[in-house]
Amino acid sequence: MNINEIHKLPGGRNSGIGQINIDRDLAGESAFGEMLKTKSLESQGLNFSKHAAKRMDERGIAMSDQLLGSLEQAVEGARQKGARDVAVIGRQGVFIVNVPNNVVVTTMSADDMKDRIFTNIDSAVIL
């Protein structure tokens, strides 16, 4: 019997377009989706928010290939440890990075770091 493009199979089970298999492991599917998202972000490299780019320009922080590579390695190390928001601290300054989204959200030069308080981070990496 054919009802709305869903075919009735013997024994009461259905198959067809739009059919949902309720027996699948939703937790496993979620873990796979998260892994896929993480791998996709890793391959893209770091992104800089408009705010971070503006702060880098204002504070005279030059981004070299070497610095970018060091930041990406630091963020990947923090990701492997389960960090979500990390302060990457180096000679050039501090970069606050949202790890799940692979985005530098703000920066500070070394001169701006004096007497500063960092909030809403769960990890720090020293370059």
Side-chain angles (χ1 to χ4, degrees):
M1 173 180 238
N2 188 359
I3 303 172
N4 295 330
E5 295 189 42
I6 297 177
H7 305 282
K8 203 72 155 149
L9 294 178
R13 296 196 53 119
N14 295 325
S15 70
I17 298 173
Q19 181 67 29
I20 298 173
N21 181 358
I22 59 174
D23 296 329
R24 71 179 163 207
D25 179 8
L26 295 178
E29 184 176 288
S30 176
F32 176 75
E34 187 62 33
M35 182 185 72
L36 185 60
K37 180 180 174 186
T38 298
K39 290 297 181 189
S40 175
L41 288 173
E42 288 171 11
S43 66
Q44 292 176 2
L46 280 179
N47 295 305
F48 290 77
S49 68
K50 288 182 184 179
H51 175 79
K54 181 179 176 185
R55 293 292 180 254
M56 287 177 61
D57 187 46
E58 290 173 354
R59 295 171 174 158
I61 301 171
M63 183 57 59
S64 66
D65 289 340
Q66 182 180 359
L67 177 56
L68 183 60
S70 295
L71 283 172
E72 288 174 342
Q73 286 180 343
V75 171
E76 181 53 33
R79 181 186 328 279
Q80 290 175 1
K81 295 286 186 175
R84 297 194 51 79
D85 293 291
V86 64
V88 180
I89 305 166
R91 288 190 315 260
Q92 301 84 351
V94 176
F95 299 84
I96 306 297
V97 181
N98 178 270
V99 176
N101 294 321
N102 235 25
V103 174
V104 178
V105 294
T106 194
T107 63
M108 287 182 212
S109 67
D111 294 335
D112 292 327
M113 288 191 293
K114 296 176 182 147
D115 300 323
R116 295 291 182 184
I117 298 170
F118 299 104
T119 60
N120 298 327
I121 63 167
D122 59 22
S123 304
V125 177
I126 311 290
L127 291 179

